């Protein structure tokens, strides 16, 4: 077993840009990931890139219902891509599944409102949600006819922007907002030493400066495994 490998992903589902894996293929991938996880004491999860297709989570529901793969073996991401997925996330979480949402500097206000609606209505438990950034992944742009017109890329700073909105605008308790980016994803992929500050865990910490007036959050200090990588808002290590 490779120490660095904890699962499979991202596997594109319901997306015209992906390979549209059939039921048998999805079953094989999920079974192999699960078996590898059990043998290697890893999560063995399958990260799913959810596209804009009409089938939504249906291909994954079929695997869960027919192949008896636990729902927690899958982590669908980009779940705020469209209103249908936002609604489907409720049923998925209702059966114990995890859902991941993608922060985006141009759409963070919409995502913050989606997360706030879940919280107010109690439709998805906080512990089953996480947020990621697609950091430096390619973001294709399409024209009105579906033609590819260019590429952008995801930025990790959009996570701080979303955190600011949740705390300063929607008045989330800081601990609850932080859990979306820290303890929750660590739990989903079974990284036992990550996501929290406790004796025996890795000394990973970020010291934030949150400005409620400007809706800005700056990472003043970044510490990874006890090593200072950023100090007084200046990088100490490059590369």
């Amino acid at each position: 077993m490779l120490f660095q490998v904890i699962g499979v992903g991202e596997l594109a589902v319901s997306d015209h840009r992906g390979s549209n894996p059939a039921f048998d293929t999805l079953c094989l991938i999920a079974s192999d990931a699960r078996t590898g996880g059990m043998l290697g004491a890893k999560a063995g999860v399958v990260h799913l890139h959810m596209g804009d297709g009409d089938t939504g989570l249906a291909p994954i529901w079929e695997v869960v219902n027919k192949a008896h793969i636990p729902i927690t073996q899958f982590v669908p991401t980009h779940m705020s891509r469209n209103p249908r997925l936002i609604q489907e996330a409720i049923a998925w979480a209702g059966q114990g599944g995890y859902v991941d949402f993608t922060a985006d500097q141009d759409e963070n206000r919409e995502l913050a409102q989606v997360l706030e609606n879940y919280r107010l209505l109690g439709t998805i438990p906080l512990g089953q949600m996480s947020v990621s950034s697609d950091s430096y992944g390619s973001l294709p742009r399409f024209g009105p006819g579906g033609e590819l017109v260019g590429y952008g890329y995801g930025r990790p700073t959009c996570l701080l922007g979303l955190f600011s909105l949740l705390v300063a605008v929607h008045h989330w308790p800081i601990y609850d907002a932080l859990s979306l980016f820290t303890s929750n994803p660590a739990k989903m992929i079974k990284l036992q030493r990550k996501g929290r500050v406790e004796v025996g865990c890795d000394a990973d910490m970020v010291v934030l400066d949150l400005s409620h007036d400007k809706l800005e959050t700056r990472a003043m200090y970044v510490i990874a495994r006890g090593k200072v990588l950023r100090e007084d808002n200046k990088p100490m290590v490059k590369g």
Side-chain angles (χ1 to χ4, degrees):
M1 295 295 168
L2 299 177
F3 176 76
Q4 296 87 347
V5 178
I6 61 173
V8 177
E10 290 180 9
L11 180 65
V13 174
S14 300
D15 196 310
H16 66 93
R17 296 167 292 176
S19 57
N20 292 302
F23 170 75
D24 290 344
T25 302
L26 287 172
C27 288
L28 180 61
I29 292 172
S31 297
D32 284 350
R34 177 168 171 76
T35 301
M38 291 188 292
L39 292 174
K42 308 286 185 62
V45 296
V46 180
H47 279 275
L48 300 166
H49 161 105
M50 298 309 303
D52 214 17
D54 293 339
T55 51
L57 285 171
I60 312 307
W61 275 118
E62 186 178 15
V63 175
V64 171
N65 293 328
K66 294 182 178 180
H68 309 296
I69 301 293
I71 196 170
T72 52
Q73 215 68 43
F74 300 97
V75 180
T77 188
H78 313 319
M79 287 298 289
S80 55
R81 186 183 295 277
N82 58 49
R84 181 181 57 256
L85 285 175
I86 290 170
Q87 190 65 32
E88 283 191 87
I90 298 173
W92 183 263
Q95 294 300 311
Y98 298 126
V99 287
D100 184 77
F101 302 91
T102 307
D104 183 285
Q105 58 188 4
D106 297 325
E107 299 178 1
N108 265 349
R109 288 188 178 274
E110 290 83 355
L111 175 54
Q113 187 60 59
V114 168
L115 297 173
E116 173 68 352
N117 291 343
Y118 288 144
R119 186 175 77 107
L120 290 176
L121 298 174
T123 47
I124 298 182
L126 178 64
Q128 290 172 236
M129 296 189 291
S130 64
V131 176
S132 55
S133 69
D134 249 7
S135 177
Y136 296 110
S138 63
L139 300 178
R141 298 190 300 272
F142 297 95
E147 71 279 9
L148 180 66
V149 297
Y151 284 96
Y153 61 91
R155 300 175 185 270
T157 52
C158 62
L159 295 175
L160 291 176
L162 180 61
F163 173 78
S164 299
L165 288 168
L166 293 174
V167 174
V169 175
H170 295 288
H171 309 295
W172 282 39
I174 289 179
Y175 179 82
D176 288 351
L178 280 176
S179 69
L180 297 174
F181 312 94
T182 56
S183 57
N184 288 2
K187 178 183 67 175
M188 291 177 184
I189 57 178
K190 297 183 180 179
L191 296 180
Q192 305 296 338
R193 295 167 58 92
K194 300 293 185 181
R196 62 196 189 282
V197 179
E198 291 182 7
V199 174
C201 292
D202 291 339
D204 298 336
M205 286 175 278
V206 179
V207 179
L208 301 176
D209 178 17
L210 173 62
S211 169
H212 284 69
D213 296 333
K214 297 181 180 180
L215 291 180
E216 292 180 350
T217 301
R218 296 184 298 167
M220 301 301 294
Y221 294 85
V222 177
I223 303 170
R225 294 186 178 182
K227 183 177 181 180
V228 178
L229 303 182
R230 190 177 187 88
E231 183 175 348
D232 196 22
N233 202 30
K234 297 179 181 178
M236 306 300 292
V237 177
K238 297 182 178 180

